[in-house]
């Protein structure tokens, strides 16, 4: 992502930051800012923005003062483990996995096992990511009610159509949300012009696919909350803009 694009996103945030905004509005702005920062950090690891993200102590920021603490090395290892998987991960989920990995590394250090030595036996980063992500992609212990599912869809549509995200979205069949494609959106469907469709379920988490028969479905590991809906919306925009390549061909 270019420096100009990051600054453009930040300008959008500043211009559309009303006083006394509701929680979802705050979540949307936070999700957009974190997604832009994550993309920049991925593509320009030596940039000044990465230093801004990590700080002088080498600890990545979290969603709040009570959020998990983790090292930049752990976050980078988790991001690397996520590369190429047929799942999209919300930044908050990556942060949780990085916090778990940091604790596992610390436990190993107490037994004289440095982080690198784990690589000979097991992928701790991949395991931490899988364990944390499964909280959000598997069937919940208590299935959501129809009212809860439709409320999450409303939160998603509100986030997608907000000034910060700026996509055209509408309700689809069942609990789906249809998102109009952009010129940069990966090709999909018989003619290559299919829109995107995002789902949330009573017995499962979020997912995304092309709005076409037989389309590949990609899970989205994100909380089933208002804040999670905002993170999903930011990921959907990244897919629509082609910033994540073609996640349906991994």
């Amino acid at each position: 992502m270019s420096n100009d694009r990051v600054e453009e996103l930040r300008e959008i945030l500043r211009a559309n930051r009303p006083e006394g905004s509701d929680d979802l509005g705050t979540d949307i702005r936070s999700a957009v800012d974190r997604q832009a920062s994550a993309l920049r950090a991925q593509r320009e690891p030596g940039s000044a923005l990465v230093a801004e993200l990590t700080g002088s102590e080498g600890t990545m920021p979290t969603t709040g003062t009570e959020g998990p603490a983790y090292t930049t090395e752990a976050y980078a290892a988790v991001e690397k483990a996520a590369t190429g998987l047929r799942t999209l991960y919300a930044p908050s989920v990556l942060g949780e996995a990085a916090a778990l990995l940091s604790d596992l590394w610390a436990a190993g250090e107490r037994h004289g096992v440095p982080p690198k030595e784990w690589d000979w036996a097991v992928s701790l980063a991949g395991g931490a990511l899988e364990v944390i992500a499964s909280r959000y992609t598997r069937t919940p212990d208590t299935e959501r009610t129809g009212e809860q599912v439709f409320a999450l869809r409303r939160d998603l549509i509100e986030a997608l159509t907000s000034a910060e995200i700026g996509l055209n979205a509408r309700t689809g069949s069942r609990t789906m949300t249809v998102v109009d494609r952009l010129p940069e959106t990966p090709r999909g469907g018989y003619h290559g012009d299919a829109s995107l469709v995002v789902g949330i379920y009573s017995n499962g988490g979020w997912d995304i696919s092309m709005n076409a028969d037989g389309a590949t479905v990609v899970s989205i590991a994100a909380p089933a909350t208002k804040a999670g809906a905002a993170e999903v919306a930011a990921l959907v925009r990244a897919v629509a803009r082609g910033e994540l390549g073609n996640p349906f061909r991994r």
Side-chain angles (χ1 to χ4, degrees), residues 119-145:
D119 295 342
W120 291 99
V122 66
S123 172
L124 277 189
L129 179 61
E130 184 175 351
V131 167
I132 295 298
S134 68
R135 295 176 178 175
Y136 305 107
T137 57
R138 70 188 180 202
T139 301
D141 294 335
T142 302
E143 289 195 6
R144 300 179 190 95
T145 65

PDB file of all heavy atoms in Angstrom, residues 119-145:
ATOM      1  N   ASP A 119      10.841 -24.595  16.268  1.00  0.00           N
ATOM      2  CA  ASP A 119      10.628 -24.864  14.846  1.00  0.00           C
ATOM      3  C   ASP A 119      11.081 -26.259  14.434  1.00  0.00           C
ATOM      4  O   ASP A 119      10.625 -26.789  13.416  1.00  0.00           O
ATOM      5  CB  ASP A 119      11.365 -23.818  13.996  1.00  0.00           C
ATOM      6  CG  ASP A 119      10.793 -22.423  14.183  1.00  0.00           C
ATOM      7  OD1 ASP A 119       9.651 -22.315  14.675  1.00  0.00           O
ATOM      8  OD2 ASP A 119      11.486 -21.441  13.853  1.00  0.00           O
ATOM      9  N   TRP A 120      11.974 -26.860  15.220  1.00  0.00           N
ATOM     10  CA  TRP A 120      12.438 -28.199  14.891  1.00  0.00           C
ATOM     11  C   TRP A 120      11.371 -29.253  15.155  1.00  0.00           C
ATOM     12  O   TRP A 120      11.417 -30.356  14.597  1.00  0.00           O
ATOM     13  CB  TRP A 120      13.690 -28.538  15.714  1.00  0.00           C
ATOM     14  CG  TRP A 120      14.887 -27.741  15.330  1.00  0.00           C
ATOM     15  CD1 TRP A 120      15.369 -26.628  15.945  1.00  0.00           C
ATOM     16  CD2 TRP A 120      15.752 -27.984  14.225  1.00  0.00           C
ATOM     17  NE1 TRP A 120      16.482 -26.147  15.301  1.00  0.00           N
ATOM     18  CE2 TRP A 120      16.746 -26.972  14.233  1.00  0.00           C
ATOM     19  CE3 TRP A 120      15.804 -28.955  13.218  1.00  0.00           C
ATOM     20  CZ2 TRP A 120      17.766 -26.908  13.286  1.00  0.00           C
ATOM     21  CZ3 TRP A 120      16.827 -28.893  12.274  1.00  0.00           C
ATOM     22  CH2 TRP A 120      17.785 -27.880  12.316  1.00  0.00           C
ATOM     23  N   ALA A 121      10.421 -28.948  16.009  1.00  0.00           N
ATOM     24  CA  ALA A 121       9.449 -29.960  16.424  1.00  0.00           C
ATOM     25  C   ALA A 121       8.012 -29.646  16.038  1.00  0.00           C
ATOM     26  O   ALA A 121       7.241 -30.547  15.701  1.00  0.00           O
ATOM     27  CB  ALA A 121       9.528 -30.153  17.946  1.00  0.00           C
ATOM     28  N   VAL A 122       7.640 -28.366  16.087  1.00  0.00           N
ATOM     29  CA  VAL A 122       6.235 -28.021  15.900  1.00  0.00           C
ATOM     30  C   VAL A 122       6.127 -26.551  15.511  1.00  0.00           C
ATOM     31  O   VAL A 122       7.014 -25.754  15.825  1.00  0.00           O
ATOM     32  CB  VAL A 122       5.436 -28.283  17.207  1.00  0.00           C
ATOM     33  CG1 VAL A 122       5.893 -27.344  18.316  1.00  0.00           C
ATOM     34  CG2 VAL A 122       3.939 -28.168  16.984  1.00  0.00           C
ATOM     35  N   SER A 123       5.045 -26.199  14.812  1.00  0.00           N
ATOM     36  CA  SER A 123       4.782 -24.798  14.504  1.00  0.00           C
ATOM     37  C   SER A 123       3.914 -24.217  15.611  1.00  0.00           C
ATOM     38  O   SER A 123       2.688 -24.354  15.595  1.00  0.00           O
ATOM     39  CB  SER A 123       4.074 -24.653  13.155  1.00  0.00           C
ATOM     40  OG  SER A 123       3.660 -23.310  12.956  1.00  0.00           O
ATOM     41  N   LEU A 124       4.559 -23.597  16.580  1.00  0.00           N
ATOM     42  CA  LEU A 124       3.789 -22.990  17.665  1.00  0.00           C
ATOM     43  C   LEU A 124       2.917 -21.855  17.147  1.00  0.00           C
ATOM     44  O   LEU A 124       1.784 -21.681  17.598  1.00  0.00           O
ATOM     45  CB  LEU A 124       4.729 -22.459  18.750  1.00  0.00           C
ATOM     46  CG  LEU A 124       5.251 -23.443  19.790  1.00  0.00           C
ATOM     47  CD1 LEU A 124       5.987 -22.679  20.885  1.00  0.00           C
ATOM     48  CD2 LEU A 124       4.131 -24.269  20.392  1.00  0.00           C
ATOM     49  N   ALA A 125       3.446 -21.078  16.200  1.00  0.00           N
ATOM     50  CA  ALA A 125       2.673 -19.956  15.663  1.00  0.00           C
ATOM     51  C   ALA A 125       1.411 -20.460  14.969  1.00  0.00           C
ATOM     52  O   ALA A 125       0.312 -19.931  15.179  1.00  0.00           O
ATOM     53  CB  ALA A 125       3.524 -19.143  14.695  1.00  0.00           C
ATOM     54  N   GLY A 126       1.557 -21.495  14.144  1.00  0.00           N
ATOM     55  CA  GLY A 126       0.398 -22.053  13.458  1.00  0.00           C
ATOM     56  C   GLY A 126      -0.600 -22.655  14.428  1.00  0.00           C
ATOM     57  O   GLY A 126      -1.818 -22.506  14.265  1.00  0.00           O
ATOM     58  N   GLY A 127      -0.090 -23.330  15.462  1.00  0.00           N
ATOM     59  CA  GLY A 127      -0.982 -23.920  16.454  1.00  0.00           C
ATOM     60  C   GLY A 127      -1.736 -22.869  17.241  1.00  0.00           C
ATOM     61  O   GLY A 127      -2.942 -23.001  17.484  1.00  0.00           O
ATOM     62  N   ALA A 128      -1.025 -21.805  17.648  1.00  0.00           N
ATOM     63  CA  ALA A 128      -1.679 -20.729  18.395  1.00  0.00           C
ATOM     64  C   ALA A 128      -2.764 -20.075  17.551  1.00  0.00           C
ATOM     65  O   ALA A 128      -3.869 -19.794  18.030  1.00  0.00           O
ATOM     66  CB  ALA A 128      -0.642 -19.697  18.830  1.00  0.00           C
ATOM     67  N   LEU A 129      -2.459 -19.842  16.271  1.00  0.00           N
ATOM     68  CA  LEU A 129      -3.435 -19.221  15.381  1.00  0.00           C
ATOM     69  C   LEU A 129      -4.654 -20.118  15.196  1.00  0.00           C
ATOM     70  O   LEU A 129      -5.803 -19.655  15.253  1.00  0.00           O
ATOM     71  CB  LEU A 129      -2.787 -18.927  14.028  1.00  0.00           C
ATOM     72  CG  LEU A 129      -3.690 -18.292  12.971  1.00  0.00           C
ATOM     73  CD1 LEU A 129      -4.213 -16.938  13.441  1.00  0.00           C
ATOM     74  CD2 LEU A 129      -2.931 -18.145  11.651  1.00  0.00           C
ATOM     75  N   GLU A 130      -4.425 -21.411  14.990  1.00  0.00           N
ATOM     76  CA  GLU A 130      -5.539 -22.337  14.761  1.00  0.00           C
ATOM     77  C   GLU A 130      -6.441 -22.434  15.985  1.00  0.00           C
ATOM     78  O   GLU A 130      -7.677 -22.437  15.864  1.00  0.00           O
ATOM     79  CB  GLU A 130      -4.995 -23.717  14.397  1.00  0.00           C
ATOM     80  CG  GLU A 130      -6.078 -24.725  14.042  1.00  0.00           C
ATOM     81  CD  GLU A 130      -5.518 -26.047  13.569  1.00  0.00           C
ATOM     82  OE1 GLU A 130      -4.287 -26.136  13.359  1.00  0.00           O
ATOM     83  OE2 GLU A 130      -6.302 -26.997  13.418  1.00  0.00           O
ATOM     84  N   VAL A 131      -5.834 -22.513  17.162  1.00  0.00           N
ATOM     85  CA  VAL A 131      -6.624 -22.631  18.393  1.00  0.00           C
ATOM     86  C   VAL A 131      -7.482 -21.387  18.606  1.00  0.00           C
ATOM     87  O   VAL A 131      -8.679 -21.480  18.912  1.00  0.00           O
ATOM     88  CB  VAL A 131      -5.695 -22.863  19.602  1.00  0.00           C
ATOM     89  CG1 VAL A 131      -6.456 -22.663  20.908  1.00  0.00           C
ATOM     90  CG2 VAL A 131      -5.111 -24.266  19.554  1.00  0.00           C
ATOM     91  N   ILE A 132      -6.879 -20.208  18.448  1.00  0.00           N
ATOM     92  CA  ILE A 132      -7.627 -18.968  18.670  1.00  0.00           C
ATOM     93  C   ILE A 132      -8.686 -18.772  17.589  1.00  0.00           C
ATOM     94  O   ILE A 132      -9.839 -18.440  17.878  1.00  0.00           O
ATOM     95  CB  ILE A 132      -6.672 -17.759  18.709  1.00  0.00           C
ATOM     96  CG1 ILE A 132      -5.731 -17.852  19.914  1.00  0.00           C
ATOM     97  CG2 ILE A 132      -7.466 -16.456  18.752  1.00  0.00           C
ATOM     98  CD1 ILE A 132      -6.422 -17.840  21.261  1.00  0.00           C
ATOM     99  N   ALA A 133      -8.318 -18.993  16.328  1.00  0.00           N
ATOM    100  CA  ALA A 133      -9.265 -18.772  15.232  1.00  0.00           C
ATOM    101  C   ALA A 133     -10.468 -19.694  15.327  1.00  0.00           C
ATOM    102  O   ALA A 133     -11.586 -19.313  14.953  1.00  0.00           O
ATOM    103  CB  ALA A 133      -8.559 -18.956  13.890  1.00  0.00           C
ATOM    104  N   SER A 134     -10.254 -20.911  15.841  1.00  0.00           N
ATOM    105  CA  SER A 134     -11.363 -21.869  15.920  1.00  0.00           C
ATOM    106  C   SER A 134     -12.476 -21.376  16.838  1.00  0.00           C
ATOM    107  O   SER A 134     -13.625 -21.788  16.708  1.00  0.00           O
ATOM    108  CB  SER A 134     -10.856 -23.230  16.395  1.00  0.00           C
ATOM    109  OG  SER A 134     -10.421 -23.182  17.742  1.00  0.00           O
ATOM    110  N   ARG A 135     -12.144 -20.483  17.764  1.00  0.00           N
ATOM    111  CA  ARG A 135     -13.186 -19.911  18.626  1.00  0.00           C
ATOM    112  C   ARG A 135     -14.247 -19.193  17.801  1.00  0.00           C
ATOM    113  O   ARG A 135     -15.408 -19.106  18.195  1.00  0.00           O
ATOM    114  CB  ARG A 135     -12.574 -18.896  19.597  1.00  0.00           C
ATOM    115  CG  ARG A 135     -11.615 -19.445  20.619  1.00  0.00           C
ATOM    116  CD  ARG A 135     -11.043 -18.292  21.429  1.00  0.00           C
ATOM    117  NE  ARG A 135     -10.138 -18.741  22.476  1.00  0.00           N
ATOM    118  CZ  ARG A 135      -9.447 -17.919  23.257  1.00  0.00           C
ATOM    119  NH1 ARG A 135      -9.565 -16.602  23.088  1.00  0.00           N
ATOM    120  NH2 ARG A 135      -8.652 -18.401  24.192  1.00  0.00           N
ATOM    121  N   TYR A 136     -13.826 -18.652  16.664  1.00  0.00           N
ATOM    122  CA  TYR A 136     -14.702 -17.794  15.873  1.00  0.00           C
ATOM    123  C   TYR A 136     -15.232 -18.462  14.607  1.00  0.00           C
ATOM    124  O   TYR A 136     -16.146 -17.926  13.976  1.00  0.00           O
ATOM    125  CB  TYR A 136     -13.944 -16.516  15.497  1.00  0.00           C
ATOM    126  CG  TYR A 136     -13.381 -15.809  16.704  1.00  0.00           C
ATOM    127  CD1 TYR A 136     -12.011 -15.818  16.968  1.00  0.00           C
ATOM    128  CD2 TYR A 136     -14.215 -15.172  17.610  1.00  0.00           C
ATOM    129  CE1 TYR A 136     -11.490 -15.193  18.090  1.00  0.00           C
ATOM    130  CE2 TYR A 136     -13.708 -14.544  18.739  1.00  0.00           C
ATOM    131  CZ  TYR A 136     -12.347 -14.559  18.974  1.00  0.00           C
ATOM    132  OH  TYR A 136     -11.839 -13.941  20.096  1.00  0.00           O
ATOM    133  N   THR A 137     -14.658 -19.603  14.227  1.00  0.00           N
ATOM    134  CA  THR A 137     -15.091 -20.261  12.993  1.00  0.00           C
ATOM    135  C   THR A 137     -15.899 -21.528  13.234  1.00  0.00           C
ATOM    136  O   THR A 137     -16.616 -21.979  12.344  1.00  0.00           O
ATOM    137  CB  THR A 137     -13.866 -20.617  12.121  1.00  0.00           C
ATOM    138  OG1 THR A 137     -12.969 -21.444  12.871  1.00  0.00           O
ATOM    139  CG2 THR A 137     -13.131 -19.349  11.684  1.00  0.00           C
ATOM    140  N   ARG A 138     -15.794 -22.113  14.412  1.00  0.00           N
ATOM    141  CA  ARG A 138     -16.515 -23.357  14.683  1.00  0.00           C
ATOM    142  C   ARG A 138     -17.940 -23.052  15.157  1.00  0.00           C
ATOM    143  O   ARG A 138     -18.308 -21.894  15.400  1.00  0.00           O
ATOM    144  CB  ARG A 138     -15.788 -24.163  15.754  1.00  0.00           C
ATOM    145  CG  ARG A 138     -15.863 -23.532  17.128  1.00  0.00           C
ATOM    146  CD  ARG A 138     -14.977 -24.229  18.136  1.00  0.00           C
ATOM    147  NE  ARG A 138     -15.063 -23.594  19.444  1.00  0.00           N
ATOM    148  CZ  ARG A 138     -14.130 -23.701  20.380  1.00  0.00           C
ATOM    149  NH1 ARG A 138     -13.034 -24.401  20.149  1.00  0.00           N
ATOM    150  NH2 ARG A 138     -14.286 -23.094  21.548  1.00  0.00           N
ATOM    151  N   THR A 139     -18.726 -24.113  15.303  1.00  0.00           N
ATOM    152  CA  THR A 139     -20.075 -23.961  15.839  1.00  0.00           C
ATOM    153  C   THR A 139     -19.997 -23.475  17.281  1.00  0.00           C
ATOM    154  O   THR A 139     -19.289 -24.074  18.099  1.00  0.00           O
ATOM    155  CB  THR A 139     -20.824 -25.306  15.802  1.00  0.00           C
ATOM    156  OG1 THR A 139     -20.891 -25.767  14.456  1.00  0.00           O
ATOM    157  CG2 THR A 139     -22.222 -25.165  16.365  1.00  0.00           C
ATOM    158  N   PRO A 140     -20.678 -22.378  17.620  1.00  0.00           N
ATOM    159  CA  PRO A 140     -20.605 -21.873  18.998  1.00  0.00           C
ATOM    160  C   PRO A 140     -21.250 -22.845  19.979  1.00  0.00           C
ATOM    161  O   PRO A 140     -22.107 -23.651  19.608  1.00  0.00           O
ATOM    162  CB  PRO A 140     -21.384 -20.552  18.925  1.00  0.00           C
ATOM    163  CG  PRO A 140     -22.280 -20.690  17.742  1.00  0.00           C
ATOM    164  CD  PRO A 140     -21.542 -21.551  16.757  1.00  0.00           C
ATOM    165  N   ASP A 141     -20.812 -22.773  21.228  1.00  0.00           N
ATOM    166  CA  ASP A 141     -21.368 -23.664  22.253  1.00  0.00           C
ATOM    167  C   ASP A 141     -22.879 -23.491  22.370  1.00  0.00           C
ATOM    168  O   ASP A 141     -23.619 -24.456  22.561  1.00  0.00           O
ATOM    169  CB  ASP A 141     -20.699 -23.391  23.604  1.00  0.00           C
ATOM    170  CG  ASP A 141     -19.219 -23.763  23.599  1.00  0.00           C
ATOM    171  OD1 ASP A 141     -18.838 -24.629  22.781  1.00  0.00           O
ATOM    172  OD2 ASP A 141     -18.454 -23.191  24.392  1.00  0.00           O
ATOM    173  N   THR A 142     -23.323 -22.254  22.269  1.00  0.00           N
ATOM    174  CA  THR A 142     -24.755 -21.957  22.253  1.00  0.00           C
ATOM    175  C   THR A 142     -25.079 -21.283  20.931  1.00  0.00           C
ATOM    176  O   THR A 142     -24.542 -20.211  20.635  1.00  0.00           O
ATOM    177  CB  THR A 142     -25.144 -21.019  23.414  1.00  0.00           C
ATOM    178  OG1 THR A 142     -24.786 -21.633  24.659  1.00  0.00           O
ATOM    179  CG2 THR A 142     -26.641 -20.734  23.393  1.00  0.00           C
ATOM    180  N   GLU A 143     -25.907 -21.919  20.120  1.00  0.00           N
ATOM    181  CA  GLU A 143     -26.211 -21.350  18.813  1.00  0.00           C
ATOM    182  C   GLU A 143     -26.879 -19.984  18.953  1.00  0.00           C
ATOM    183  O   GLU A 143     -27.660 -19.746  19.873  1.00  0.00           O
ATOM    184  CB  GLU A 143     -27.119 -22.294  18.018  1.00  0.00           C
ATOM    185  CG  GLU A 143     -26.415 -23.551  17.547  1.00  0.00           C
ATOM    186  CD  GLU A 143     -27.192 -24.286  16.471  1.00  0.00           C
ATOM    187  OE1 GLU A 143     -28.230 -23.751  16.017  1.00  0.00           O
ATOM    188  OE2 GLU A 143     -26.759 -25.377  16.079  1.00  0.00           O
ATOM    189  N   ARG A 144     -26.565 -19.106  18.019  1.00  0.00           N
ATOM    190  CA  ARG A 144     -27.159 -17.775  18.034  1.00  0.00           C
ATOM    191  C   ARG A 144     -28.621 -17.852  17.618  1.00  0.00           C
ATOM    192  O   ARG A 144     -29.005 -18.675  16.789  1.00  0.00           O
ATOM    193  CB  ARG A 144     -26.401 -16.847  17.077  1.00  0.00           C
ATOM    194  CG  ARG A 144     -24.941 -16.688  17.431  1.00  0.00           C
ATOM    195  CD  ARG A 144     -24.197 -15.792  16.451  1.00  0.00           C
ATOM    196  NE  ARG A 144     -22.770 -15.894  16.732  1.00  0.00           N
ATOM    197  CZ  ARG A 144     -21.942 -16.714  16.109  1.00  0.00           C
ATOM    198  NH1 ARG A 144     -22.389 -17.475  15.120  1.00  0.00           N
ATOM    199  NH2 ARG A 144     -20.675 -16.774  16.449  1.00  0.00           N
ATOM    200  N   THR A 145     -29.391 -16.962  18.160  1.00  0.00           N
ATOM    201  CA  THR A 145     -30.787 -16.870  17.746  1.00  0.00           C
ATOM    202  C   THR A 145     -30.865 -16.150  16.407  1.00  0.00           C
ATOM    203  O   THR A 145     -29.922 -15.460  15.991  1.00  0.00           O
ATOM    204  CB  THR A 145     -31.609 -16.100  18.781  1.00  0.00           C
ATOM    205  OG1 THR A 145     -31.139 -14.733  18.825  1.00  0.00           O
ATOM    206  CG2 THR A 145     -31.480 -16.725  20.166  1.00  0.00           C
TER     207      THR A 145
END
